[in-house]
Amino acid sequence: MDTIETDNIVIKNQISLAKAALVAGLGLLLMALTVPFAEFYIFPELISDDVIETMNNVLSNKMLFTISIFLHFITLICDIIVAWALYIFLKPVMKNFSLLTSWFRLIYTAMYLIALTNLIKILSVVEGSGTIQNNQFADSIMFYFNSFQLEWSFGLVIFGIYLLFLGYLVCKSSYVPNIFGILLLIAGFGYLTHTLGTFFVPSWNLDFLFFTFFGELIFMIWLLVKGRKIDSIIPA
């Protein structure tokens, strides 16, 4: 009886590969909804090449701009959860390397958070807009927004390396089809090439690499459809 009770306690302190896959898939799904809405809908509505127009847009749509910040903040939380869940999901492949891989995503998340503080500073500028000149106000908004984009882009170098590590782990696993590891490797190279190209050869148009970024989203679909059906149990 003691053994059975002990075994039951052990099982209660374990998480299955299936549950880890489901958590990771749901986290990635939520991120797929939050960031695109902020980046491809809200920011194009508010930010333009004209600094005065941008200033007026942010002033008149402060709530919309605030929503964009919280969408990014939700993404940050999801990044942490996904890093943890994928560490558990791929721990049976190579425990230490899976831990290293998750740390790269966490480092990227920390850099993402630092970049996000620039958007919060824009809100501070908006609150104090009555005490500064319009041109100074507009220039401050563009400075912080450009800083956000630049710092986040720098963090994507780390994210690209993370995807390369993740793709390698998936290729080495015996329970995930190799094609998903290959897609993650392609996504990692795509992020690295596009981001480094932006810094070192800004005159080059590397937008054609955009299609490579979908590797993690395709992996997300597999996690939600097939990964959640894996029944193996591993220690937490």
Side-chain angles (χ1 to χ4, degrees), residues 197-217:
T198 301
F199 282 105
F200 293 106
V201 281
S203 59
W204 290 8
N205 187 350
L206 298 174
D207 290 344
F208 69 92
L209 292 171
F210 183 75
F211 78 94
T212 67
F213 301 163
F214 289 97
E216 193 180 25
L217 294 180

Side-chain angles (χ1 to χ4, degrees), residues 143-182:
F143 171 78
Y144 287 126
F145 183 77
N146 291 334
S147 295
F148 163 71
Q149 296 284 7
L150 184 64
E151 292 170 16
W152 188 20
S153 294
F154 192 75
L156 290 176
V157 175
I158 301 297
F159 187 73
I161 297 173
Y162 157 78
L163 286 177
L164 293 177
F165 287 177
L166 184 66
Y168 176 76
L169 278 172
V170 170
C171 286
K172 285 290 185 179
S173 72
S174 60
Y175 45 90
V176 183
N178 282 352
I179 182 61
F180 297 103
I182 294 172

